[in-house]
Amino acid sequence: MTFSIHGLAVARGIAIGRAVLVASSRVDVAHYFIGAEEVESEIQRVRSARNAVAEEIHRLQQTIVAMGPKEAPHELSALLDVHLMLLQDEDLISGVKHWITERLYNAEWALTTQLEVLGRQFDEMEDEYLRGRKADLEQVADRVLRQLKGVPSPVAPPVGGRRKTQQDLLLDDATDVPLVLVAHDLSPADMLQFKQSVFAGFVTDVGGRNSHTAIVARSMDIPAVVGARSASQLVRQDDWVIIDGDAGVMIVDPSPIILAEYGFKQRQGELERGRLARLRHTPALTLDGQKIELLANIELPEDASAALLAGSVGVGLFRSEFLFMGRRGQLPGEEEQYLAYRKAVEGMQGLPVTIRTIDVGADKPLDDSRRDAAHLNPALGLRAIRWSLAEPQMFLTQLRAILRAAAHGKVRLLVPMLAHASEIRQTLSLIDFARAELDNRGVASGRVEVGAMIEIPAAALILPTFLKYFDFLSIGTNDLIQYTLAIDRADESVAHLYDPLHPAVLRLVADTIAAGTAAGKHVSVCGEMAGDVAFTRLLLGLGLRSFSMHPAQVLAVKQEVLRADTTRLAAWARQVVEAEDPSAVFTA
Ligand code: PEP
Ligand code: MG
């Protein structure tokens, strides 16, 4: 039966495919397709892993027997019997085989998929004892997964996404059906893992439109919906689903008529992309001849190629924190960071790269995929520059790496979340110190312009201080909105209050652009507002001449720029900012 689930629209477009449910704790399991000729060897991998686990359990049982009942209670042995039984469970074995043979999933993916299917059956059991066996099944599966790690697949995970059109659905090959990932929650680092993956779309139960998870999903340029509440419970493994990333809706088990309608919409979207692609080499000039700088936001050095391909003229925001995440405390050293920054700089082929110093905390934890539960208000806690200043050795390491990369191209250094003059002075002296350290070591470094993010209202209210110390400003509207309106950008329950057109937000943005421009300093916007075509004309009217956004947005924003006349927009933009209800004037 067809039904729809509503969430928040994150990334444009339509995806039609089968649902793949992934538990948040298992996102680091490899997901890739094997070739038809590898089916047998992949099944053999699972068999070998299972045999190894069975032996492991037998050995454990022998140890238990040797220990005697005092040290090793009888229950332990009985539990291992249950584990052995689950290991031989026919539903588990045949299910895993099914996913490998019919869908060409790699062994780990097949195992976790079947685990999810069986897990639901356990959840629905009346008997409490049997329901409790789900945990045992998971433990057994974890043992098999660990064994599989030691038995490498004969097939390497393919690089590159598998975005498929509706026409591909007509193909017989099972792996040509697009797959849509449905999960309760994904951290930004989890999402990044899926960047080069097989999925054609994403849905998560939690998250706001401008959470970092959503931002990474958007950068992947595939349809995504977040904040879909209980989607991961309502959808079953392998259900047919449609994701409408424009409307923020997921349709489950669509009827043929609905499928045809969305197939049409999908083709329209692709035609539009094709049309936009022709603008790649067109200079971004407004009708009245204003030159507009369109820059890219990137998360990894490899994203530089997408930035170039989109026709951006540089990187306006390299979110360096993604190099630090999911490493279980092993932060990258100076050399590793230097190579990563250098790769981005060289990848941009002489165009400027703005590297933002690490911004972890709040909804971007370094490790755990869940929020930083230790602090009640992580967004107001030790985040971004506050963390860097609290960890000066870590910060100096990063600064040295950035300064060294600057010897290979044009680098701008951007500092997040500053609010206090004392923080500014401390940051600048650490930059000087890092350079002196390199000089003392006789290591080459390059000149950098140093800029500040304006993303805390307090910063936007003391602009003269910022303009005194910095070469450029970059407005982080995502946080500026969050902190001005006191709403958590990652919390879907207050997503309706996240309003870029709130007069207070607009005033802070307008004042920053005006003050920066009057002081002759470069000002850009690198928050999601810059890549949203709904706001291009307004920002142009407010005098903004530099926009930084996901590569996927660059051409659509360029189209808006080409159609705009800034001489006409200025008066209207002023009216919008000064209105009691800007959205009324905005849409009039
Ligand atoms: C912002 O806050 O607008 C921004 C660009 O930084 P981030 O989204 O990484 O917090
Ligand atoms: Mg920010």
Side-chain angles (χ1 to χ4, degrees):
M1 195 193 58
T2 304
F3 64 96
S4 53
I5 299 171
H6 293 252
L8 303 165
V10 168
R12 294 174 316 150
I14 309 287
I16 305 174
R18 286 191 186 274
V20 173
L21 285 135
V22 178
S24 310
S25 55
R26 299 197 191 275
V27 286
D28 57 349
V29 164
H31 293 76
Y32 59 90
F33 290 116
I34 57 169
E37 66 288 0
E38 277 121 6
V39 165
E40 265 321 305
S41 55
E42 205 63 3
I43 292 176
Q44 184 51 42
R45 271 183 80 218
V46 186
R47 208 175 285 133
S48 311
R50 263 184 39 227
N51 290 342
V53 171
E55 268 176 42
E56 203 176 272
I57 297 179
H58 280 307
R59 271 199 307 276
L60 262 175
Q61 283 184 316
Q62 279 158 12
T63 319
I64 287 171
V65 172
M67 284 161 98
K70 254 203 181 146
E71 281 177 78
H74 171 69
E75 290 79 23
L76 202 55
S77 177
L79 192 69
L80 291 176
D81 280 337
V82 172
H83 281 199
L84 270 179
M85 214 173 66
L86 288 169
L87 199 59
Q88 310 302 337
D89 182 79
E90 190 39 43
D91 286 343
L92 181 66
I93 296 171
S94 62
V96 172
K97 264 194 198 157
H98 163 82
W99 298 112
I100 296 178
T101 315
E102 302 298 320
R103 291 294 155 75
L104 303 182
Y105 289 2
N106 63 304
E108 291 86 344
W109 185 6
L111 178 61
T112 49
T113 303
Q114 188 57 16
L115 188 64
E116 201 278 333
V117 171
L118 296 178
R120 282 191 186 217
Q121 292 175 8
F122 275 101
D123 286 343
E124 283 162 14
M125 285 177 182
E126 300 266 317
D127 186 303
E128 200 184 337
Y129 171 79
L130 289 177
R131 250 197 339 266
R133 298 290 58 79
K134 181 179 170 184
D136 294 312
L137 180 69
E138 287 181 340
Q139 282 171 15
V140 169
D142 281 339
R143 280 180 187 270
V144 179
L145 280 172
R146 268 200 302 275
Q147 284 293 340
L148 279 170
K149 258 195 188 159
V151 190
S153 166
V155 224
V159 182
R162 293 177 57 92
R163 295 185 58 223
K164 298 286 171 185
T165 65
Q166 173 73 1
Q167 275 129 7
D168 294 318
L169 298 181
L170 301 174
L171 297 175
D172 278 337
D173 185 348
T175 63
D176 275 316
V177 174
L179 299 173
V180 170
L181 185 128
V182 182
H184 175 67
D185 191 8
L186 292 173
S187 74
D190 294 337
M191 201 51 128
L192 204 66
Q193 283 221 116
F194 287 119
K195 205 155 179 162
Q196 303 266 301
S197 78
V198 294
F199 298 109
F202 289 89
V203 177
T204 59
D205 294 348
V206 301
R209 268 204 90 232
N210 291 296
S211 64
H212 285 92
T213 300
I215 287 174
V216 181
R218 208 169 294 138
S219 78
M220 292 159 74
D221 194 24
I222 55 176
V225 173
V226 298
R229 311 267 165 147
S230 43
S232 72
Q233 269 151 45
L234 297 172
V235 178
R236 282 163 314 174
Q237 197 72 258
D238 227 28
D239 273 349
W240 276 98
V241 294
I242 297 174
I243 298 190
D244 182 342
D246 299 292
V249 173
M250 169 161 70
I251 301 164
V252 185
D253 198 10
S255 66
I257 292 179
I258 295 178
L259 260 180
E261 190 187 317
Y262 277 91
F264 176 73
K265 267 195 188 180
Q266 195 179 37
R267 279 191 296 281
Q268 294 294 104
E270 271 154 22
L271 285 175
E272 175 62 14
R273 278 169 195 264
R275 271 194 293 275
L276 282 177
R278 293 191 215 127
L279 296 181
R280 190 183 157 213
H281 298 292
T282 309
L285 287 178
T286 59
L287 290 173
D288 55 316
Q290 294 283 331
K291 195 170 166 209
I292 309 300
E293 185 181 50
L294 301 182
L295 302 164
N297 289 358
I298 65 171
E299 278 94 33
L300 292 173
E302 296 78 45
D303 297 339
S305 54
L308 282 184
L309 206 65
S312 57
V313 295
V315 169
L317 174 64
F318 176 0
R319 288 184 163 97
S320 71
E321 53 273 15
F322 284 92
L323 297 173
F324 292 70
M325 287 182 193
R327 301 175 56 116
R328 298 189 170 85
Q330 294 290 313
L331 299 187
E334 179 183 322
E335 192 65 18
E336 184 182 340
Q337 287 189 57
Y338 157 66
L339 291 174
Y341 303 141
R342 179 178 163 179
K343 190 169 172 188
V345 170
E346 290 179 344
M348 288 308 290
Q349 303 174 2
L351 296 170
V353 177
T354 311
I355 304 175
R356 183 177 70 181
T357 61
I358 186 166
D359 178 1
V360 288
D363 69 329
K364 276 186 291 192
L366 264 185
D367 273 316
D368 189 16
S369 62
R370 267 138 298 285
R371 304 275 197 86
D372 182 357
H375 303 282
L376 287 179
N377 282 312
L380 304 181
L382 200 62
R383 186 191 153 185
I385 189 64
R386 301 169 181 186
W387 190 67
S388 298
L389 294 178
E391 299 278 345
Q393 286 314 322
M394 181 286 303
F395 193 38
L396 283 169
T397 304
Q398 176 170 45
L399 292 173
R400 286 193 303 270
I402 295 174
L403 294 173
R404 284 174 62 190
H408 301 275
K410 194 165 180 211
V411 171
R412 295 174 183 152
L413 195 155
L414 179 60
V415 187
M417 286 271 292
L418 287 164
H420 302 262
S422 59
E423 288 173 326
I424 297 176
R425 287 191 291 269
Q426 237 181 309
T427 303
L428 295 179
S429 41
L430 282 168
I431 296 173
D432 288 343
F433 190 78
R435 193 182 292 284
E437 284 183 312
L438 290 175
D439 290 346
N440 288 342
R441 272 166 37 191
V443 176
S445 61
R447 217 188 74 77
V448 290
E449 284 182 7
V450 182
M453 300 269 305
I454 302 296
E455 53 184 346
I456 298 182
L461 293 169
I462 54 161
L463 289 167
T465 305
F466 279 76
L467 290 166
K468 174 178 161 197
Y469 288 105
F470 290 104
D471 302 314
F472 68 96
L473 303 179
S474 190
I475 307 174
T477 47
N478 307 337
D479 280 314
L480 192 58
I481 297 167
Q482 153 164 278
Y483 294 124
T484 306
L485 303 180
I487 40 120
D488 184 342
R489 62 195 262 195
D491 183 347
E492 70 275 10
S493 65
V494 284
H496 60 291
L497 297 174
Y498 189 94
D499 181 12
L501 287 178
H502 189 289
V505 172
L506 290 182
R507 232 165 279 173
L508 295 175
V509 171
D511 289 352
T512 307
I513 297 170
T517 311
K521 302 266 164 113
H522 184 272
V523 182
S524 73
V525 170
C526 64
E528 297 298 290
M529 246 180 124
D532 188 336
V533 290
F535 300 118
T536 312
R537 283 155 33 92
L538 179 63
L539 292 170
L540 285 170
L542 293 179
L544 188 74
R545 297 295 177 260
S546 174
F547 296 64
S548 192
M549 67 206 82
H550 297 298
Q553 294 301 114
V554 170
L555 293 174
V557 171
K558 191 188 278 188
Q559 179 167 267
E560 287 297 306
V561 166
L562 296 174
R563 292 172 178 165
D565 180 345
T566 60
T567 56
R568 287 161 176 249
L569 291 173
W572 165 74
R574 213 10 63 215
Q575 265 183 357
V576 174
V577 173
E578 282 166 8
E580 181 182 318
D581 184 5
S583 52
V585 184
F586 185 70
T587 46

